[in-house]
Amino acid sequence: MSENQAKVIAYIEENQAKLIAGLAEAVEIPSVSGDASFRAEVYKMGAWLKNRLSELGCEVSSHDLGMQELDGQEVQLPPVIVGSIGKDTSKKTVLVYGHYDVQPALKSDGWKTEPFELVHDKESDRLYGRGSTDDKGPILGWLNVLEAHQALGLELPVNLRFCLEGMEESGSVGLEEFVVQNKDKLFHDVDAVCISDNYWLGTNKPCVTHGLRGIAYFKLLISGPAHDLHSGVFGGVVHEPMTDLVSIMSSLVSPQGKILVPGIEEQVAPLSDDELKVYDAMEFSISDIDNSTGSKSTISDKKSDVLMARMRNPSLSLHGIEGAFGEPGSKTVIPHKVTGKFSIRLVPNMEPSKVVEAVQKHVESEFSKLKSKNTMKLIPDHPGKPWCTDPKHWNYEAAFAATEKIYGVRPDLTREGGSIPITLTFADALQKNVLLLPMGRSDDGAHSTNEKLDLSNYIKGTQLLGTYLYDCLLYTSDAADDMQCV
């Protein structure tokens, strides 16, 4: 470990209270991107980051992405914040991506603390608050690294570029086009990309991630009567949209998680013996999933099956029904129109267009079997492709080495079950290696109630990011980004 590395690590360790205070400021801004009534707070969060980056020596610019329709009104999209520090052509240049928007959260959802107040639970040493781990904690980790260098009077070992968006939790609207349009302007000198927006496989051992599942999201609309009806008058008299919808949605996936839509699982690459050994060797137990879910509900009790279900196999999940009665109490209404929402997580070898085609064919077939006089329409969102890269690259070697220095163990090499579509955009548009270097643990509850970030992960994760930048100097191998995975 170099002298400067050691100084940065020590600074972060000695200034924990300051680091926590900075994260608290960010968490207190309820930057919920999916609700128009919170859009001003998303702008506020972007301005907070722009100001903080400027204070830390970055050249910062804010980029307008235009308008969007949200909650029945036209609203301005949150800006992309682009930061730059260092122009030394003899150094590598690393692009850091993060997002400053968060999921909705209300105390009444079941939070034990106020969601937009960072609470340090001293007994568990956890930091509770919406955005603590997704993704404000990791963004603050990078800012903490800048602050350490500024306070210590040290020059950064690499040039850094920042691309911070405010719409990740709502589909990253406008960001893909922005990156493509600016690949030869704002990002022309980038050598590699680092993203900290995912999580450890379990709760004990860090990991480095080289693959993500993609996503295809669908809305299935069933329409019937012109308005809601009284079931005592019209029950058994008309074809009910809810009945049709439930019937079709139950035909999509089995209770054991098997996708029932023909033409989906057939696209998945066969499992080889060598690949199976990779999953068997990972440090993971079923209890990691149980602790994350607060239940014992895994479909399989076999470690490799669970890991493959999360990483290398597609999945189909039912998310909700819009238009149905969902309030407390009893209401004997027949909804006149309902929309079912579901998604399929995609893996390498799966073509999004073929997935959409297969789902369309299946729901049309199932609807025709019902002999219903209602109307059905499938509305697919723009799908996000899966991403996977060969980790034999200096970017990954630096991450492996840095993790060993901070945590004393070589990290597991994983693929993540979630989707970060912009990852593939960076890889394709910039033609550079993309690394996922997580800060948080699998039980952080990123989109759930009581989202948290363990203090040790925040501090060590910040140290890891700083150490990684120095270790980028040590490696020069440039493996092809050939999308091959194991």
Side-chain angles (χ1 to χ4, degrees), residues 255-325:
Q256 287 70 42
K258 179 176 174 58
I259 297 176
L260 302 178
V261 179
I264 299 296
E265 292 191 339
E266 291 84 347
Q267 296 183 42
V268 182
L271 176 68
S272 68
D273 291 338
D274 287 341
E275 184 183 356
L276 181 59
K277 291 176 184 177
V278 172
Y279 299 106
D280 286 333
M282 288 183 184
E283 186 172 313
F284 175 83
S285 67
I286 300 297
S287 63
D288 290 323
I289 295 290
D290 293 342
N291 291 335
S292 295
T293 63
S295 66
K296 295 183 181 295
S297 54
T298 54
I299 289 174
S300 173
D301 293 325
K302 189 176 179 182
K303 167 185 163 180
S304 58
D305 286 349
V306 172
L307 286 175
M308 287 189 289
R310 174 172 169 169
M311 295 183 190
R312 69 97 59 197
N313 296 333
S315 63
L316 192 154
S317 298
L318 309 179
H319 301 301
I321 298 177
E322 183 181 328
F325 173 60

Side-chain angles (χ1 to χ4, degrees), residues 212-218 259-270 308-309 311-316 343-359 383-388 415 417 419 424 483:
L212 293 164
R213 293 195 293 187
I215 187 170
Y217 197 96
F218 300 89
I259 297 176
L260 302 178
V261 179
I264 299 296
E265 292 191 339
E266 291 84 347
Q267 296 183 42
V268 182
M308 287 189 289
M311 295 183 190
R312 69 97 59 197
N313 296 333
S315 63
L316 192 154
S343 69
I344 300 175
R345 296 288 173 168
L346 313 179
V347 296
N349 290 12
M350 295 180 73
E351 286 290 336
S353 61
K354 291 183 179 179
V355 170
V356 172
E357 182 181 342
V359 172
K385 293 181 179 179
W387 164 79
C388 206
R415 289 159 59 182
S419 306
L424 187 62
M483 302 294 288

Side-chain angles (χ1 to χ4, degrees), residues 95 175-191 425-432:
L95 172 63
L175 184 63
E176 180 178 355
E177 295 81 0
F178 174 80
V179 171
V180 172
Q181 291 169 4
N182 289 281
K183 64 186 179 69
D184 297 323
K185 302 173 187 175
L186 299 172
F187 309 122
H188 70 281
D189 56 352
V190 169
D191 294 304
T425 301
F426 282 129
D428 287 349
L430 306 185
Q431 290 295 296
K432 301 297 180 182

Side-chain angles (χ1 to χ4, degrees), residues 465-484:
L465 299 179
T467 303
Y468 153 77
L469 296 181
Y470 281 90
D471 285 346
C472 285
L473 305 176
L474 305 179
Y475 301 92
T476 57
S477 60
D478 241 3
D481 230 2
D482 56 6
M483 302 294 288
Q484 298 302 306

Side-chain angles (χ1 to χ4, degrees), residues 137-151:
I139 288 179
L140 266 291
W142 290 110
L143 301 189
N144 296 336
V145 169
L146 291 182
E147 180 178 309
H149 283 80
Q150 185 183 73

